[in-house]
Amino acid sequence: SADARRAYACFEQPDLKAAFTFTVTAPAHWQVVSNSPTPDAEPTGEGVATWRFSPTPRISSYITALVAGPYDVVRDTPTSRRGEVPLGSFCRKSLTPYLDADILFDLTKRGFAFFEAEFDCAYPFEKYDQIFTPEYNMGAMENAGAVTFNEVYVFRSRVTEALVERRSLTLLHELAHMILGHCDGDDCTVDEALLPNIPPYTRGRLLRRQDLDSETEIAAESLADKLAAGIRGSVFAESAFSEIFG
C-alpha cells in the first residue's frame, strides 16, 4: 500500500475507504482504463481528449487504478448475477496476435460462476478489465475492476505446462480478490466450509482486509490462492491450452 500516494494525496490504510473520481487528459488515440467503466472521450485539442470517469464505489486507495496508452483491446460480455458485465483484455498492439483472449475469457467466466456461487453474492463492480502491461514490476495486481498483469503472461512462443497453469492460477487469484479484501460493511461473511479453521471474526476481517499488519496481508493473499486452487484443476483440464501447448 505504498503506490497510490505517489499519484494523489491520501491516507493509504485499507480500512479508510472512499469514492474516487478520476479525470484524464491524454492522446486521443490511447485507451484509458480505470476502476469505473471508460466514458466516451471528449475532444479537448488537436489529438488530445479528456475522459471523465464516474465515481467508484467506496474502495481502498491501494486498489485504485489509472492505465493509459496505445493498447489494443478485445471485448466480451459474460453474464453474472448482476447481469451483463463488460469484460476487456488489453495488451500492446504488437502482442495482439499472441493474445489468446478466448481462452482467457473462458477461464474468467468460469471463475465468475465459481466465486459467485461460493460466496453467494454478485460480482461487486460494473466491469472487469484485464490489462497486460509492459515493464511491470510484479506478476499482477487486483485493482478493483481493472486488474493489471505482467505482459509475460501473453505467450509469444511455446511455454511449459507449468507456466500455463501458473497464469491460470494468477488470473483466478486476482478474480478472487474482487471479493476478498474488498468487502464493505458488516455482512462480510463466507461459509466455514470454504475457509475452514478460521474463526468467523477473522474471516470477516480478512474479507475487509482492514489491517496494515503483514500477517493479515499474507493471510488474505493465501486465501485468494486457496480459492483459486479450488477450481484451477478442472478449468485447466478442460482448457484449450492442453491442445495448443501439449
Side-chain angles (χ1 to χ4, degrees), residues 140-155:
M141 177 61 200
E142 67 270 16
N143 313 301
V147 175
T148 43
F149 295 88
N150 192 312
E151 67 176 22
V152 298
Y153 284 134
V154 179
F155 303 136

Side-chain angles (χ1 to χ4, degrees), residues 188-230:
C188 300
T189 59
V190 64
D191 191 88
E192 184 178 359
L194 188 62
L195 303 177
N197 304 318
I198 299 176
Y201 170 77
T202 304
R203 292 202 300 268
R205 186 184 65 177
L206 292 173
L207 286 169
R208 296 185 189 92
R209 197 179 286 199
Q210 287 183 316
D211 303 313
L212 283 170
D213 64 275
S214 60
E215 289 185 2
T216 300
E217 291 290 310
I218 292 171
E221 291 291 317
S222 298
L223 291 178
D225 266 341
K226 182 185 292 187
L227 292 169

Side-chain angles (χ1 to χ4, degrees), residues 32-40 52-55 86 126-127 129:
V32 179
V33 181
S34 187
N35 307 101
S36 299
T38 300
D40 292 334
R52 304 182 192 278
F53 289 88
S54 60
E126 293 184 67
K127 53 88 175 179
D129 288 325

Side-chain angles (χ1 to χ4, degrees), residues 27 38 80 95 117 133 159 168 198 225 238:
T38 300
S80 73
L95 295 182
T133 60
V159 297
S168 299
I198 299 176
D225 266 341
E238 300 175 18

